[in-house]
Amino acid sequence: MSDSKRKKCNILTLNKYKQEKTNAVMVTAYDFPQAQLAQQAGVDMILVGDSLGMTTLGHESTIPVTMDEMISHCKAVKRGADKTFLIGDMPFLSYQASDEDAVRNAGRFIQAGMDCIKLEGVAESRIKAISDAGIMVMGHLGLTPQSQAKLGGHRVQGKTKESFREILDQARRVQEAGCSFLLLEAMPVEPARMIAEELDIPVYGIGAGNETDGQLVILHDLIGMFFEFKPRFAKRYCEAGKLIREALEDYCSEVRDGSFPSEEHFYAPLEDF
Ligand code: KIV
């Protein structure tokens, strides 16, 4: 379907998907062309994740990412994907300090064109305040990268019954506080399935098996553009990084041997010189 005829994906679409057991497709995107490609491919949701700190800005973690950086990337994504459900990821310290900070910063994401914000952890008071301000919230439980030091690193969560019960309890609490969606990161299949089944809101997974209400993959993992490490749960659908490097190598050698630019790339003069 052409983009102009396509209906914008919204919370009603996503709730219906859950009822009908249709898997929702979410991917991260951080700029205009990535958003255009994701929308053209037909994804339902784009997360402008603070993972851009690592995939795009070259930081070692998501911690240094600022609100201003997030807003700039969100605006670019919005320009590229106006029919896709857009989620802005609240960066570290944009909501941890107070409900007021949380509402004000969540509002900036909405002004930048996002449909929803995502925040990590069991921040019930923040979730309630943002949701009471009329802004949709996606919770994020399991492995929560902004507090990875407290979790002892990037570790799979919910592997024991006790840890599963804790995450299930957290999931119930964030739903009760006003989350419209929940994302589970890095969990075994069965506990993630049980949480998705237990909650009324759509529950998506990244590295949480295939029994949630939909999947998120980080774009750079999916297309082979992140070179530091490859998470076990990510499937690489192409090697865009390799393709780009080879193109650049060809460019380097053609400039050096004088075969580029050639006549087809020259401008024709209007008269002889
Ligand atoms: O920033 C992000 O892309 C995320 C995912 C890792 C869940 O929060």
Side-chain angles (χ1 to χ4, degrees), residues 36-263:
Q36 281 185 309
L37 292 170
Q39 177 159 295
Q40 285 162 12
V43 307
D44 301 300
M45 292 177 273
I46 291 176
L47 170 68
V48 187
D50 64 354
S51 51
L52 67 82
M54 297 165 81
T55 59
T56 306
L57 303 179
H59 294 302
E60 279 182 8
S61 77
T62 58
I63 299 299
V65 176
T66 66
M67 268 303 293
D68 286 347
E69 285 167 341
M70 288 304 301
I71 294 300
S72 167
H73 285 275
C74 284
K75 286 180 177 169
V77 166
K78 171 67 180 181
R79 288 191 284 269
D82 57 343
K83 300 287 165 60
T84 307
F85 190 80
L86 302 177
I87 304 134
D89 201 10
M90 297 196 69
F92 184 59
L93 285 191
S94 67
Y95 59 97
Q96 282 88 348
S98 70
D99 286 355
E100 288 72 20
D101 270 7
V103 173
R104 201 158 288 119
N105 284 321
R108 287 187 66 194
F109 278 100
I110 302 305
Q111 287 173 329
M114 298 296 100
D115 299 300
C116 176
I117 61 91
K118 174 172 88 56
L119 54 75
E120 296 184 8
V122 199
E124 286 161 290
S125 157
R126 308 288 183 268
I127 293 166
K128 184 170 181 341
I130 295 169
S131 166
D132 285 351
I135 298 171
M136 282 186 277
V137 182
M138 178 179 284
H140 178 171
L141 298 173
L143 170 56
T144 45
Q146 289 174 15
S147 47
Q148 52 139 322
K150 241 176 130 181
L151 299 173
H154 279 99
R155 303 170 79 88
V156 178
Q157 304 294 305
K159 280 170 95 173
T160 62
K161 281 197 179 121
E162 192 192 345
S163 151
F164 159 63
R165 274 193 220 104
E166 196 183 324
I167 300 172
L168 176 61
D169 176 60
Q170 293 173 348
R172 289 188 181 120
R173 283 161 56 198
V174 299
Q175 173 174 267
E176 182 63 31
C179 276
S180 300
F181 310 94
L182 176 62
L183 178 69
L184 297 174
E185 179 169 354
M187 288 181 66
V189 183
E190 194 55 16
R193 181 190 68 75
M194 287 162 84
I195 293 172
E197 221 170 75
E198 165 81 16
L199 264 56
D200 298 323
I201 58 176
V203 177
Y204 306 121
I206 174 165
N210 60 351
E211 300 279 348
T212 53
D213 299 313
Q215 295 294 326
L216 167 67
V217 176
I218 302 229
L219 177 71
H220 288 57
D221 289 332
L222 192 153
I223 62 172
M225 279 288 290
F226 186 65
F227 314 113
E228 310 312 311
F229 58 87
K230 181 185 163 303
R232 175 192 161 89
F233 56 73
K235 178 170 173 185
R236 193 155 281 182
Y237 284 81
C238 73
E239 294 291 348
K242 184 166 172 277
L243 205 69
I244 293 170
R245 192 181 52 246
E246 285 168 1
L248 288 166
E249 283 166 1
D250 288 349
Y251 168 64
C252 288
S253 57
E254 289 194 4
V255 170
R256 289 184 183 126
D257 70 15
S259 56
F260 175 82
S262 59
E263 201 153 346

